[in-house]
Amino acid sequence: MPPTTYIRGRAALNFLELATEVIDLRSFSNLWYWIALAALWSTASHWVVGVPFDMVTRARRGHERSIHDMRVVAEVNVHRILSIVELSGISAVSILAFIVTSLGVLGWYYNVEFCQALFFLVFPMILVAGLNYYTALKLRDTGYEDLIKRLRLHRLGVQLIGMVSIFITAFWGMWVNLNYGALGG
């Protein structure tokens, strides 16, 4: 083998080793996964049916402009959510069911840790999307009566789903790390 080919081959091997060290697919031992999980739940609990929760808080304190803005934003987002569900609800549910099932099978049957980690991100968000739809229906059907109360209850529901999800994800992540991952070998 000529020396240049060997050097090129060795350089390619070093690059691949470096790339696999930098881009680690062992998600539960990766700090970026936990940062993404925290950012996901922080964002999910801040945007309540598309309404920023700081606007809900200001409206609850009696700020007139925030009360008006909150109602307008809520009406727009409720209409948007219900329109999306009416237009593509069955297709979206079918696609999400396929994705979640695929992640579950790849994650637990084939033991792909990256798919397990994605499952722990995607599945609870489907529950949050269902809660968004339920809240949007209730708001529309009641004529946006008790809007602040309903948005606060919705946020509490999202936070409860988030707490349970984070607990299960952390528990599973510790188990995977101790048995297969960074610590266990």
Side-chain angles (χ1 to χ4, degrees), residues 48-49 56 59-60 67 70-71 74 135 138-155:
V48 184
V49 191
V56 177
R60 197 175 110 224
I67 292 170
M70 178 190 63
R71 180 164 175 108
T135 303
K138 286 293 184 188
L139 287 172
R140 183 192 65 188
D141 292 346
T142 61
Y144 301 91
E145 186 178 302
D146 294 330
L147 180 59
I148 294 172
K149 179 182 174 187
R150 288 190 187 279
L151 292 178
R152 289 181 66 212
L153 285 174
H154 176 82
R155 183 178 194 223

Side-chain angles (χ1 to χ4, degrees), residues 98-108 114-116 118-119 122:
F98 174 76
I99 290 171
V100 168
T101 303
S102 298
L103 289 173
V105 169
L106 288 170
W108 280 275
F114 184 70
C115 291
Q116 292 173 359
L118 284 178
F119 180 89
V122 172

Side-chain angles (χ1 to χ4, degrees), residues 35-89:
I35 291 171
L37 182 72
L40 176 76
W41 284 109
S42 174
T43 303
S45 68
H46 178 69
W47 292 94
V48 184
V49 191
V51 179
F53 196 73
D54 60 303
M55 184 182 290
V56 177
T57 303
R58 284 193 309 273
R60 197 175 110 224
R61 293 180 183 150
H63 190 258
E64 287 298 320
R65 180 68 185 179
S66 293
I67 292 170
H68 171 57
D69 291 349
M70 178 190 63
R71 180 164 175 108
V72 169
V73 172
E75 288 177 0
V76 167
N77 283 306
V78 163
H79 178 71
R80 183 182 58 85
I81 290 168
L82 296 177
S83 295
I84 289 170
V85 170
E86 289 172 7
L87 183 65
S88 63

Side-chain angles (χ1 to χ4, degrees), residues 120-142:
F120 285 124
L121 294 175
V122 172
F123 182 73
M125 285 298 118
I126 292 173
L127 299 177
V128 170
L131 186 61
N132 278 340
Y133 176 66
Y134 175 77
T135 303
L137 278 177
K138 286 293 184 188
L139 287 172
R140 183 192 65 188
D141 292 346
T142 61

